[in-house]
Amino acid sequence: MSGKPFWTHSLLSIVDQVLLSGLNFAVGMCLIRFGTKSDYGLYSQLFAAGLLAVGVLEALIGSPLTTLAPQMSAAQQAVAIRRLLRFQALGGALLGGLMGAGSAWVVATQVPEVSAWPVGLAFALFIVATTLREYRRTVWFIQADLPSLLRSDGVYVLTALAGGGLLILTDQANAAHVLLTLSVAHGLAWWAGRAPAPVPPDTAPEPWRHTLAQIWDKGRWAVPGTAVGWLGNYSFLYLASALSGVEAAAEVSASRLLLVPVGLMVVAWSRVARPVAGRLIHARDWSGLNRLGWRSLGAIELLSLAYIGVLLLGLPWLQTHVLGAKYQGINTLVLAWGGYFVVSVARTIATTWLVSIGAFRQLFIEGAVVVVVMLAVASLLIPRWGALGAVLALIVMETVDTVLLLVLLRLQRQRLNREAVHG
């Protein structure tokens, strides 16, 4: 895929992410407006933990599959997709059970004003439903099946909005009920798109151990790398909650929520670009990869700056009519988050190229170094500036991360060129 097909699929993927961004914004606004600060602070932390579960399985299964798929025949892809679906389901069930029980314990001990076990059960179901649907989304991106993706997300958004409206009408907008509603929406959306292609009847599949060895070879370093990346991106929520209570996490999360469309736009680009980058890297087409990178950087930055500008103009109205008195005074935090997302675009592009190369071990080591830098900076800035210090520490982390990733990308390209010459 190149040229017009790539940009067409990128546009459709952005539409897909706009749907998800709009829904995430609506869910957050629902809890901000109709729930307590404790409920929204709790939901924001659970949602971040859900991203960790999705990211772990994506790193272990989905990302290696995306990297290997361009090198497989249609029959090999069909076999691998169906085999790995079983592991995705098993992994989602295990993570759901563990994280659901863990969240119930934390709520019972740290947030006594919220009922613990309804939250734990709803969160467990949310993990299972989300991880299953994300695997199918990964397959649709690999196969460039954007119609199935958009149909599925349409069902998800409509179901979640209908459920959210019912919660508002019945005055039941709390963390447990929102998670349960999203779980149902994920489950219905899982069935809405095209199922994986059947395995051709004359296919002689390779042994299971070969499929698992291929995936494990790519994913074994991606999992700890994902955990390190998640720690760098979301530890501020738990730090704020630990130092100042769950309501502080609500304030930091509310300011970030307004910038969610920028982050999801980058995710939309990444899901489309990764298979394309995999093919360009496999062909050693570095000039094509450079063109794709620079054009993507320019387009995403322009869209990001345009959105941030509109948001800043509309922020006074949002504070008066949407956020309410509970969240006054977050202007500086919103501006800081805007700077963070602008800086993160180049880092995301470099990371996407390295994931497509399969440099998971190097990404893990580099990510661990960057997190140490972020924690050191945060230890200096947070005591002085509080929540703003946490966001500034993240901006420093993104800047250092980008520089190191560009160096690492250069080294990986040199390695692949040497292998091509000696091969």
Side-chain angles (χ1 to χ4, degrees):
M1 188 192 307
S2 60
K4 290 184 178 180
F6 171 78
W7 294 109
T8 299
H9 280 78
S10 294
L11 180 60
L12 290 175
S13 183
I14 289 174
V15 172
D16 162 66
Q17 291 298 332
V18 165
L19 289 174
L20 299 181
S21 174
L23 178 64
N24 287 337
F25 185 84
V27 170
M29 288 297 110
C30 172
L31 282 171
I32 287 173
R33 192 67 172 172
F34 301 102
T36 66
K37 260 191 171 182
S38 294
D39 268 311
Y40 181 58
L42 178 60
Y43 169 79
S44 64
Q45 293 178 76
L46 291 175
F47 189 81
L51 292 179
L52 174 62
V54 170
V56 165
L57 291 182
E58 174 69 13
L60 187 61
I61 298 172
S63 187
L65 178 61
T66 301
T67 301
L68 294 169
Q71 308 167 33
M72 295 179 175
S73 66
Q76 289 174 326
Q77 274 194 29
V79 171
I81 287 169
R82 288 184 172 271
R83 283 177 171 176
L84 294 176
L85 173 60
R86 302 179 191 179
F87 284 95
Q88 183 84 3
L90 177 60
L94 289 174
L95 286 174
L98 291 173
M99 297 179 80
S103 65
W105 178 79
V106 171
V107 171
T109 56
Q110 303 296 324
V111 196
E113 65 269 26
V114 177
S115 298
W117 285 108
V119 171
L121 179 59
F123 187 51
L125 293 174
F126 175 77
I127 294 295
V128 173
T130 304
T131 51
L132 280 174
R133 178 166 169 260
E134 281 301 313
Y135 179 79
R136 184 157 284 187
R137 281 168 53 84
T138 295
V139 172
W140 288 329
F141 273 108
I142 289 173
Q143 299 175 342
D145 187 4
L146 269 295
S148 287
L149 182 75
L150 292 174
R151 185 164 58 249
S152 171
D153 286 350
V155 170
Y156 172 65
V157 170
L158 291 175
T159 303
L161 288 177
L166 183 61
L167 293 181
I168 293 173
L169 289 174
T170 57
D171 196 25
Q172 295 294 318
N174 57 49
H177 290 152
V178 167
L179 288 170
L180 184 60
T181 298
L182 293 178
S183 301
V184 173
H186 277 302
L188 292 176
W190 191 83
W191 294 98
R194 189 179 66 182
V199 178
D202 57 343
T203 301
E206 296 171 326
W208 270 84
R209 64 178 180 274
H210 180 75
T211 301
L212 296 180
Q214 284 183 302
I215 296 298
W216 179 246
D217 180 61
K218 299 295 183 184
R220 58 179 174 165
W221 287 105
V223 173
T226 296
V228 167
W230 179 88
L231 181 63
N233 288 327
Y234 294 101
S235 59
F236 71 92
L237 270 179
Y238 304 93
L239 185 60
S241 181
L243 294 177
S244 304
V246 71
E247 292 190 358
E251 292 180 355
V252 178
S253 185
S255 60
R256 186 180 185 179
L257 176 66
L258 300 175
L259 275 300
V260 162
V262 176
L264 287 180
M265 178 173 59
V266 177
V267 172
W269 168 86
S270 178
R271 297 297 293 269
V272 174
R274 276 172 52 195
V276 180
R279 289 189 285 271
L280 291 172
I281 291 167
H282 184 66
R284 304 297 189 268
D285 184 2
W286 303 122
S287 62
L289 191 67
N290 287 338
R291 286 194 301 272
L292 179 61
W294 283 112
R295 291 173 182 175
S296 298
L297 179 64
I300 296 171
E301 291 287 18
L302 284 175
L303 289 171
S304 300
L305 290 172
Y307 175 82
I308 292 169
V310 172
L311 175 61
L312 291 176
L313 290 174
L315 190 56
W317 183 90
L318 287 172
Q319 287 183 315
T320 301
H321 300 283
V322 179
L323 297 174
K326 291 181 291 185
Y327 296 92
Q328 292 296 319
I330 64 171
N331 305 50
T332 304
L333 282 174
V334 170
L335 184 60
W337 278 119
Y340 166 83
F341 280 108
V342 167
V343 173
S344 72
V345 174
R347 189 266 306 163
T348 301
I349 293 175
T351 301
T352 300
W353 291 175
L354 287 164
V355 167
S356 298
I357 289 173
F360 298 113
R361 180 173 66 88
Q362 293 85 352
L363 282 170
F364 165 66
I365 296 172
E366 185 272 342
V369 172
V370 169
V371 167
V372 171
V373 171
M374 187 274 290
L375 292 175
V377 174
S379 67
L380 297 174
L381 298 183
I382 291 177
R384 184 171 183 178
W385 287 311
L388 178 60
V391 183
L392 293 176
L394 290 175
I395 293 174
V396 172
M397 179 194 73
E398 290 292 299
T399 303
V400 174
D401 201 5
T402 301
V403 173
L404 293 179
L405 288 172
L406 290 175
V407 173
L408 184 57
L409 181 59
R410 182 182 180 86
L411 293 175
Q412 288 297 307
R413 286 176 54 168
Q414 292 173 350
R415 177 184 65 80
L416 291 174
N417 287 333
R418 288 195 301 269
E419 290 178 356
V421 171
H422 295 300

